[in-house]
Amino acid sequence: MKLSFFTRIFLIYVAVGMQIITATVRWNWSTINVNDIVLPKLCGVAMSEYQNSGATHCPDSNWAVWEKKGTNNGHCTIHGDQKSGIACDFWNNYKSDVQLVKELGCNAFRLSVEWSKIEPREGEFNQAAIDHYRDLCDELIKNGITPMITLHHFTHPQWFEAKGAFEKEKNISYFVRFCARMFEALQDKVQLWCTINEPGPYVFQGYLHAAFPPGKLLNFNLAVQVLKNMLIAHVHVYKKLKSLPGGQKAQIGLVHQYLPFEAHSWNPIEMVVGRVMSYIFNDVIMHFLKTGELFPLTPYLRATIPGAQDCNDFIGLNFYSRVVFESNILGSLWNMKFDEETFKPSCFQGEVMTDMQYPVCPEAFYEAIKAVAKLGKPIYITENGVPDSNDDRRPLFIKRYLYAMSRAMKEGCDVRGYFYWSLMDNFEWDEGYTKKFGLYEVDFATQKRILRPGAECYKRAICTSARVA
Ligand code: BGC
């Protein structure tokens, strides 16, 4: 194909522009003192009920049914056909696990309430399960630990799934009813509330990538609809909880996973894919949080949820890393072979990969905090952690990410809390038990928890670092 001189200049211009937009600035770590940090008032750990109690304790959830299904699109629903079982048996061990949180020196704990335990069948509420969460919150408070509750962390009852879950706008009222019920039950003990954990990844995994229930592959229509309905649900829940007794003093927010994508080289394909992915994963939600408007660049999808920009008392920021895209598209075209080499997550020279498909990248964490801070709301880092089965990258990760957060805070970002993901190894969704995020290692045969040596530096940091008032 012959391109005119001006077309070439234009393409170079676009490529340079894209590279500038997506490239993360790198720091010279040899000149940085990672111990000179300030931390937010609340420092703790995060987890979700299903990941720590498993299908055995949550048999009426969509995930229990999904696990039972075994395969989807010819693939195991869970890596290696594993099952979550009782996971860490957190449902029974919560009292001793709260002691683990305390021993770390933490003063905050983010956990989710499992809707399928509270309302296993439509309209049938289980008072014993509600009391369980009241006890759990009491246990935390008694030990000087502030609870933060997530109302939807990827799972919900199977009856809700069977109705189409968030695919249908009319189903939102079921979720609002459940949230109101939990709020009424816990508002005297809990002030920090996350409505929905990561609508973006929920939609991506369930409707585009087929890795989470309902296991749809590249269903863009439903993906858009579900994302929209989840954001509408967030707004409805926010307004409902604010109207209830205790609502005015509660702090309520949405949790967004900020996931930047970057090109590995000047290959325009990597740049375009990186930019498009960043747009889908971040820009859409960030724009929504700022304006209440969804898909502003796509006329037939554009939608506005009136007043949505005022429905967050804080922004929950989940951050792990940024994805570096490396493409061998020319080789694939040449060989007409498209496999994991066509596009593969990688990292830059000098970076260290984690056990997931992303590197340790504290600079991107700093940039994410700065970007979210522009929304002008307090920020809680609701998840941040590293999958590291050898426990040889955890200290590096913890020290540098805490430093990155501190740097953003010293420059004025209003970070109110930090929650490490996760207290202990647990069920990592479609990855099963292969990924080890825990500060505590769990022996799943004996349920023994052992503090990982690499986690000591988190303990040290929270016990010795300066805190903002
Ligand atoms: C999710 C967690 C998950 C973690 C690590 C987050 O996106 O909220 O449930 O375990 O990532 O992959």
Side-chain angles (χ1 to χ4, degrees):
M1 185 174 47
K2 245 185 127 25
L3 298 177
S4 75
F5 174 73
F6 285 111
T7 314
R8 281 188 225 176
I9 295 288
F10 175 69
L11 286 178
I12 291 170
Y13 170 77
V14 171
V16 170
M18 282 176 168
Q19 182 67 12
I20 290 167
I21 292 166
T22 55
T24 305
V25 172
R26 306 275 299 279
W27 295 335
N28 178 0
W29 287 97
S30 65
T31 62
I32 288 173
N33 175 6
V34 289
N35 298 318
D36 180 18
I37 57 171
V38 59
L39 293 179
K41 205 164 156 188
L42 294 181
C43 282
V45 283
M47 63 152 66
S48 83
E49 185 71 82
Y50 192 89
Q51 289 179 274
N52 289 273
S53 294
T56 307
H57 287 298
C58 313
D60 300 304
S61 67
N62 60 333
W63 261 86
V65 174
W66 174 249
E67 284 192 50
K68 224 183 258 163
K69 189 175 168 204
T71 56
N72 184 53
N73 278 325
H75 296 286
C76 285
T77 53
I78 315 296
H79 179 93
D81 203 17
Q82 296 180 352
K83 302 283 177 229
S84 62
I86 56 169
C88 316
D89 201 9
F90 178 65
W91 189 261
N92 290 320
N93 290 324
Y94 71 92
K95 285 202 172 145
S96 47
D97 287 338
V98 167
Q99 290 311 310
L100 299 182
V101 179
K102 194 176 172 187
E103 277 160 31
L104 283 170
C106 293
N107 63 0
F109 187 43
R110 173 178 175 234
L111 65 145
S112 69
V113 285
E114 176 60 37
W115 181 5
S116 69
K117 292 213 64 96
I118 308 290
E119 193 182 359
R121 275 154 296 279
E122 185 185 337
E124 225 178 78
F125 287 86
N126 177 350
Q127 192 53 44
I130 295 176
D131 291 344
H132 170 93
Y133 286 116
R134 281 185 64 82
D135 287 349
L136 174 46
C137 291
D138 281 339
E139 197 62 27
L140 288 168
I141 293 163
K142 201 167 80 190
N143 284 284
I145 300 166
T146 301
M148 175 184 248
I149 297 284
T150 306
L151 290 158
H152 189 279
H153 194 124
F154 295 162
T155 60
H156 44 240
Q158 178 56 27
W159 63 259
F160 181 71
E161 182 82 9
K163 283 180 187 288
F166 292 104
E167 291 167 22
K168 298 190 183 131
E169 193 174 343
K170 67 175 195 291
N171 290 346
I172 291 173
S173 59
Y174 298 108
F175 180 56
V176 178
R177 180 177 66 179
F178 154 71
C179 294
R181 193 73 175 231
M182 282 322 290
F183 188 81
E184 280 161 350
L186 299 180
Q187 60 80 22
D188 57 333
K189 303 177 193 302
V190 180
Q191 260 83 63
L192 295 173
W193 294 85
C194 304
T195 54
I196 298 178
N197 181 67
E198 301 185 352
Y202 171 90
V203 168
F204 175 77
Q205 298 285 31
Y207 292 88
L208 299 175
H209 189 220
F212 285 13
K216 306 242 156 78
L217 191 64
L218 299 179
N219 192 327
F220 288 97
N221 272 343
L222 276 179
V224 165
Q225 197 52 45
V226 171
L227 183 64
K228 185 173 153 196
N229 287 340
M230 287 187 112
L231 296 173
I232 295 175
H234 160 74
V235 170
H236 285 195
V237 170
Y238 179 92
K239 290 183 176 162
K240 178 73 189 174
L241 303 194
K242 283 285 170 189
S243 75
L244 295 173
Q248 289 311 311
K249 69 175 192 314
Q251 296 293 293
I252 305 166
L254 183 78
V255 173
H256 170 49
Q257 183 185 150
Y258 196 98
L259 182 62
F261 290 79
E262 201 169 316
H264 184 257
S265 68
W266 286 75
N267 174 340
I269 293 167
E270 290 174 6
M271 287 188 230
V272 171
V273 172
R275 193 64 210 109
V276 170
M277 294 297 274
S278 283
Y279 175 78
I280 295 171
F281 274 82
N282 294 318
D283 302 5
V284 167
I285 300 278
M286 291 294 286
H287 183 81
F288 165 79
L289 291 169
K290 198 166 156 196
T291 62
E293 191 189 22
L294 259 180
F295 306 115
L297 301 181
T298 330
Y300 78 103
L301 295 179
R302 190 185 299 142
T304 302
I305 305 173
Q309 64 276 25
D310 302 321
C311 290
N312 276 297
D313 299 323
F314 65 85
I315 307 295
L317 170 62
N318 287 359
F319 189 91
Y320 289 87
S321 187
R322 58 111 165 74
V323 177
V324 178
F325 251 124
E326 194 173 346
S327 134
N328 179 29
I329 190 90
L330 294 179
S332 295
L333 282 171
W334 183 258
N335 299 316
M336 281 318 278
K337 190 168 162 252
F338 297 90
D339 51 21
E340 61 277 9
E341 289 298 310
T342 312
F343 275 113
K344 64 168 190 227
S346 108
C347 62
F348 291 117
Q349 211 184 0
E351 287 186 337
V352 181
M353 277 309 259
T354 67
D355 291 348
M356 296 284 249
Q357 295 184 314
Y358 45 70
V360 173
C361 187
E363 292 94 335
F365 184 34
Y366 163 84
E367 286 179 4
I369 298 172
K370 297 287 270 192
V372 172
K374 288 201 184 113
L375 297 171
K377 302 272 166 78
I379 301 170
Y380 285 88
I381 309 301
T382 34
E383 281 180 36
N384 178 236
V386 63
D388 175 15
S389 56
N390 295 333
D391 196 36
D392 53 5
R393 287 142 291 170
R394 197 164 275 107
L396 180 87
F397 180 97
I398 292 174
K399 286 182 194 159
R400 291 193 174 179
Y401 274 62
L402 291 183
Y403 169 79
M405 174 172 69
S406 162
R407 184 158 165 169
M409 288 169 68
K410 286 180 182 172
E411 289 171 14
C413 295
D414 183 9
V415 179
R416 304 265 173 105
Y418 174 89
F419 295 84
Y420 189 88
W421 185 276
S422 184
L423 172 64
M424 56 193 158
D425 294 338
N426 55 40
F427 177 68
E428 181 53 34
W429 307 115
D430 56 320
E431 303 272 4
Y433 287 104
T434 54
K435 303 292 181 260
K436 309 293 183 190
F437 279 89
L439 292 173
Y440 287 87
E441 181 182 353
V442 176
D443 176 342
F444 289 97
T446 59
Q447 288 299 339
K448 212 167 163 228
R449 283 89 158 118
I450 305 145
L451 185 67
R452 287 202 158 93
E456 292 279 358
C457 63
Y458 184 53
K459 194 172 172 180
R460 210 172 313 121
I462 54 184
C463 295
T464 59
S465 307
R467 298 290 184 95
V468 290

